[in-house]
Amino acid sequence: LLAGAQGMPVTILRLDADLRKAESSAKKAENSRKETDPERDRSVGHDKHASSEQAKDAKQKAPEQVASVRESAAEQAADPLAREVKTGAKASAAKVIRDEAEPDPEKVHLTTRIPADRPAEMVKDEARKGYDLLFIGLQDSHTPDGSFTPELTEIAAGFDGPLAILSRCGEEAVQRLTARSRILLPVNGTPASRHAAEMAFALARATGAKVTAMFVSRHQGRARTLRGEEGVLKNMAELGERYDVHLATRISRRGGAAEAILREGRGDYALLVMGVSPRAGEELFFGDTAEAVLKEWKKLVLFVAS
């Protein structure tokens, strides 16, 4: 949905448990491919403007460093995840194409790879090629106390750039975003919350979902502060108009940020989109508010970190 509107190339790294168990088979397949055609599939630069220098660097990389198997066109056509990405990209692109004020996006170039080495090493190796966003979606992304799992932390550590993490919370069935879906967007005027807003609006434009932008106030409605909060929400409304998104706004003045978000989240929301900032340290940590929300939220949450 995000890539389709911009014509951005996408590389999928399949980290499914059954694929991880088949690492030895993937290595054998890769070694066999290299023996028959050592130059085939060495260069995997998927950036839209991948240079010849990147391709040369990929060819010179020692095979024992990081190995992966690239899905063929036939394999990709049968891959349910790849089909979902293509379907979403087409739907998103169609919405942009109907907007004559924006240029038509390019067709999304999709590559699917199965790591034969540790997933974290594969992410680190791919990151050298100039990606603009790492989007992580794992079935088990966090522990019951709201902390991210070591596997997710390790994968994220290999990418030095904007990060998006989609986490499933609770046992409710995950629903596809549609025109009847609602997205909750907490904002506070920071660059991080604006980046999250742009991602939420891009998803909403592609699916027709509605967005509620909520400013969490800690100042009991003092006039001067209230004007600032209303200014932030007005800015969100203007940004939403650019994406042609139906936006509702509200201000919460009771309790802490996490409490206000969780209280509002009791409504009929399909997705929570939060802008966050990574804290220094070995563990992946976005602050107390994000941790509390991750612990108690019962649906899908998308953290956007830049």
Side-chain angles (χ1 to χ4, degrees):
L1 295 174
L2 296 171
Q6 303 294 331
M8 296 184 293
V10 176
T11 297
I12 299 175
L13 298 183
R14 295 295 304 268
L15 308 183
D16 308 63
D18 57 333
L19 292 176
R20 289 199 296 272
K21 292 176 182 177
E23 284 182 357
S24 59
S25 299
K27 280 189 176 181
K28 290 179 181 179
E30 177 68 8
N31 290 335
S32 175
R33 176 179 294 177
K34 289 173 181 176
E35 289 173 2
T36 56
D37 187 356
E39 293 303 315
R40 179 183 177 186
D41 201 31
R42 291 283 189 86
S43 176
V44 290
H46 307 304
D47 187 270
K48 187 186 298 185
H49 306 292
S51 64
S52 58
E53 288 78 5
Q54 287 176 311
K56 181 179 179 181
D57 179 63
K59 287 184 179 181
Q60 291 176 343
K61 179 164 60 71
E64 65 270 18
Q65 284 185 333
V66 180
S68 65
V69 176
R70 179 173 177 172
E71 285 190 349
S72 66
E75 291 170 332
Q76 195 176 88
D79 187 330
L81 180 58
R83 290 202 303 268
E84 285 288 338
V85 172
K86 290 182 178 179
T87 299
K90 289 180 180 178
S92 181
K95 291 291 183 72
V96 176
I97 290 173
R98 287 200 290 269
D99 184 355
E100 297 179 355
E102 294 192 43
D104 291 353
E106 298 180 14
K107 182 179 179 181
V108 171
H109 176 73
L110 179 63
T111 302
T112 306
R113 306 191 70 83
I114 303 174
D117 287 315
R118 293 170 60 246
E121 292 301 318
M122 186 65 191
V123 170
K124 186 181 296 184
D125 184 66
E126 283 289 310
R128 299 182 306 110
K129 298 159 189 172
Y131 289 87
D132 300 301
L133 174 70
L134 174 63
F135 197 115
I136 304 177
L138 298 180
Q139 177 69 18
D140 299 313
S141 61
H142 63 280
T143 62
D145 66 357
S147 301
F148 290 111
T149 60
E151 180 186 20
L152 189 145
T153 296
E154 188 178 22
I155 290 173
F159 188 80
D160 185 20
L163 177 68
I165 298 176
L166 182 67
S167 294
R168 177 186 179 185
C169 307
E171 298 299 325
E172 293 187 25
V174 175
Q175 301 294 326
R176 185 187 303 271
L177 288 177
T178 68
R180 290 185 291 181
S181 301
R182 297 172 65 205
I183 298 173
L184 179 59
L185 173 69
V187 296
N188 58 7
T190 64
S193 71
R194 183 177 177 86
H195 293 154
E198 290 184 310
M199 188 167 288
F201 293 151
L203 293 173
R205 174 171 61 181
T207 60
K210 300 175 178 60
V211 179
T212 296
M214 182 181 70
F215 195 109
V216 181
S217 175
R218 298 181 181 180
H219 300 283
Q220 303 301 319
R222 291 200 298 266
R224 182 177 179 182
T225 304
L226 185 60
R227 287 196 297 271
E229 294 164 353
E230 290 175 342
V232 170
L233 292 177
K234 180 180 179 181
N235 182 263
M236 288 295 102
E238 293 171 349
L239 184 61
E241 286 183 4
R242 288 170 46 192
Y243 284 85
D244 193 24
V245 169
H246 182 280
L247 179 69
T249 61
R250 62 189 58 188
I251 297 175
S252 174
R253 304 188 183 91
R254 294 184 299 167
E259 179 185 348
I261 292 169
L262 292 169
R263 183 172 57 247
E264 178 66 25
R266 297 181 189 134
D268 185 23
Y269 290 102
L271 174 67
L272 167 67
V273 181
M274 281 186 63
V276 294
S277 299
R279 305 300 197 265
E282 294 183 358
E283 295 184 0
L284 183 63
F285 181 61
F286 295 144
D288 294 335
T289 298
E291 186 175 69
V293 168
L294 192 59
K295 179 180 178 180
E296 301 295 338
W297 188 259
K298 301 303 181 185
K299 303 168 187 176
L300 283 176
V301 57
L302 177 61
F303 292 115
V304 182
S306 53

